[in-house]
Amino acid sequence: MNGFYSTTITRLVTIALLFAACAPAARAADPDVLEGVPTIKAPPADEVKKQAFTWLETRQADEATRAAAEAIWQKGAGPLATAAPLDRLAATFALVEPQAKALVDVCSHPRGKGLLAPQEWLTAADAQPLLKNNMRLFFGRWLSQQRLYDESLEQLKDLQPADVVDPAALLFYQSVAFHRLLNKTDGLKSIDRLLSEVAEGPPRYVTVAGLMREDLKALEDDSLDHISRRMDDVQRRLGLGRAGEKVRKEEDGVVASLDKLIEQMEEEEKKKQEQQKSGSSGGKNQPQQPMGDSRVAGAQGAGDTHKKPIGRGTGWGELPAKQREEALQQVGKDFPSHYRDVIQAYFKKLATEDGGGER
């Protein structure tokens, strides 16, 4: 891990030095306005209640269970007075289904330490669709709120708006996971569906989805911003106790992207210097006519030249400690402050990490 730390920090120092004179490009808001006729609408709460009680009948619920369900769906009263239909539906399932009750209990608290219990029953072929589809949304929403975006997508990616009682929540949390995992193509597709196809989506979903859309549209692969976010994702995974093969591949990808960015910037700097040199050589000091090939030049002198300290390549791997610190200071000066914060926290975590899971 120390080798990765040393290699990556020197690359970041190099980028900081090459980018020191460049101002970050401003992100202009996309003027496009999504157009379309909303075709996705959540069923009314009374309709969801009807579906819940029909399900209870298939499970042959007794009178006590039905009375408890009535309390769950009572309007303006009880512990779920302000709860959304999805939460009321999950609570109804928990009255009869032990696995649903255990999952509702898990999702009622922040994630604890250790591995999550597997929930194979949610994808069982013989599971009733109303139960498994809505409990997958219920679980996937909680996983996203706990920053477990890969696990959230495992629950949500195959669901369609017609499968659940809260289609806006499904598209929103799919979009969140795609956005945080930097999946630009699927993220924009999910966001556009939420913004253009869902009728009467919650304002908070619409507002955040619009911001995510602009952010993803402006994100360019292998840019410094893209690399910084990938580093942040590795840091997130390490914070969750994951340090396995997937994380190591992401680390390797970060280093490869840094190398690619350094190479591009060095090439651009070389071309710039060559253009400047070419421009200066074509100035007023140039002779009016070139000397003929058969003439002997009349220049005098011993032919000695001043030796210059060149030939050591870019030297980015040999920067003294003082220059490296100056370069890191430049990162904080010329780029958004979160770049330096992410870099410092990320490598501090890498330096102390000694193992974990396989995600």
Side-chain angles (χ1 to χ4, degrees):
M1 195 67 72
N2 289 335
F4 177 76
Y5 173 93
S6 176
T7 300
T8 312
I9 192 62
T10 51
R11 285 161 170 78
L12 289 167
V13 169
T14 304
I15 291 174
L17 290 171
L18 293 172
F19 249 169
C22 299
R27 290 183 176 180
D30 189 345
D32 296 339
V33 177
L34 292 176
E35 297 181 356
V37 178
T39 58
I40 300 173
K41 189 173 183 179
D46 290 342
E47 175 61 27
V48 180
K49 176 183 177 181
K50 182 178 179 181
Q51 294 180 46
F53 276 81
T54 300
W55 179 84
L56 285 175
E57 291 177 2
T58 65
R59 300 303 298 270
Q60 300 179 344
D62 56 25
E63 288 299 323
T65 301
R66 292 181 62 86
E70 286 289 354
I72 289 172
W73 289 94
Q74 185 177 358
K75 295 181 179 180
L80 296 176
T82 60
L86 177 64
D87 298 285
R88 294 175 188 262
L89 188 59
T92 304
F93 293 144
L95 294 175
V96 177
E97 177 58 58
Q99 291 174 312
K101 183 179 186 304
L103 186 55
V104 169
D105 290 341
V106 168
C107 297
S108 299
H109 307 282
R111 173 182 176 270
K113 296 181 179 180
L115 299 176
L116 293 172
Q119 304 290 335
E120 292 94 344
W121 65 279
L122 289 176
T123 55
D126 59 347
Q128 203 273 340
L130 180 70
L131 170 66
K132 71 175 183 179
N133 291 341
N134 286 285
M135 289 305 296
R136 285 176 65 188
L137 173 56
F138 184 82
F139 188 33
R141 180 186 65 178
W142 178 82
L143 289 168
S144 180
Q145 293 167 348
Q146 303 305 307
R147 304 177 70 222
L148 297 168
Y149 304 114
D150 296 278
E151 293 84 346
S152 178
L153 275 183
E154 288 176 5
Q155 298 298 327
L156 302 180
K157 63 182 179 180
D158 296 329
L159 292 176
Q160 296 298 320
D163 297 333
V164 296
V165 300
D166 194 345
L170 172 63
L171 291 173
F172 177 76
Y173 284 103
Q174 284 177 341
S175 301
V176 168
F178 286 133
H179 176 262
R180 292 307 302 265
L181 295 175
L182 305 180
N183 187 331
K184 185 172 182 176
T185 301
D186 291 333
L188 289 174
K189 184 184 300 183
S190 180
I191 291 170
D192 287 348
R193 292 195 69 188
L194 174 61
L195 295 178
S196 64
E197 298 182 26
V198 175
E200 301 177 358
R204 65 185 186 277
Y205 288 175
V206 173
T207 301
V208 175
L211 294 173
M212 290 192 296
R213 180 175 183 267
E214 299 305 319
D215 187 56
L216 281 179
K217 284 177 69 68
L219 185 63
E220 297 182 2
D221 288 347
D222 291 328
S223 64
L224 189 57
D225 186 23
H226 188 256
I227 295 171
S228 174
R229 296 189 195 200
R230 288 159 61 193
M231 291 170 61
D232 183 56
D233 186 61
V234 172
Q235 182 185 15
R236 175 186 68 85
R237 294 176 187 276
L238 291 173
L240 294 171
R242 281 83 187 273
E245 182 179 356
K246 186 169 186 176
V247 173
R248 291 193 293 270
K249 286 183 178 180
E250 289 205 18
E251 291 171 347
D252 292 341
V254 167
V255 173
S257 295
L258 287 170
D259 282 337
K260 180 179 178 181
L261 186 58
I262 290 170
E263 183 178 351
Q264 291 175 347
M265 296 173 66
E266 287 179 336
E267 184 64 26
E268 291 175 0
E269 181 65 19
K270 181 180 179 181
K271 290 181 179 179
K272 181 179 178 181
Q273 292 177 357
E274 289 177 350
Q275 291 174 353
Q276 292 176 345
K277 182 178 180 181
S278 175
S280 62
S281 64
K284 61 182 180 180
N285 292 329
Q286 194 172 17
Q288 296 297 322
Q289 291 183 342
M291 183 176 293
D293 292 340
S294 60
R295 296 173 56 189
V296 179
Q300 298 180 354
D304 295 333
T305 60
H306 295 288
K307 295 183 179 180
K308 302 292 184 181
I310 61 176
R312 297 185 60 187
T314 60
W316 60 268
E318 304 172 358
L319 290 174
K322 181 178 179 181
Q323 291 187 22
R324 288 200 300 269
E325 180 58 30
E326 290 176 352
L328 287 175
Q329 293 293 337
Q330 197 70 42
V331 171
K333 177 181 178 182
D334 291 333
F335 302 109
S337 59
H338 76 278
Y339 285 174
R340 183 182 176 92
D341 295 339
V342 167
I343 291 168
Q344 289 181 326
Y346 172 69
F347 288 120
K348 181 179 180 182
K349 185 69 179 179
L350 288 180
T352 58
E353 187 64 37
D354 59 358
E358 283 301 316
R359 285 186 178 273

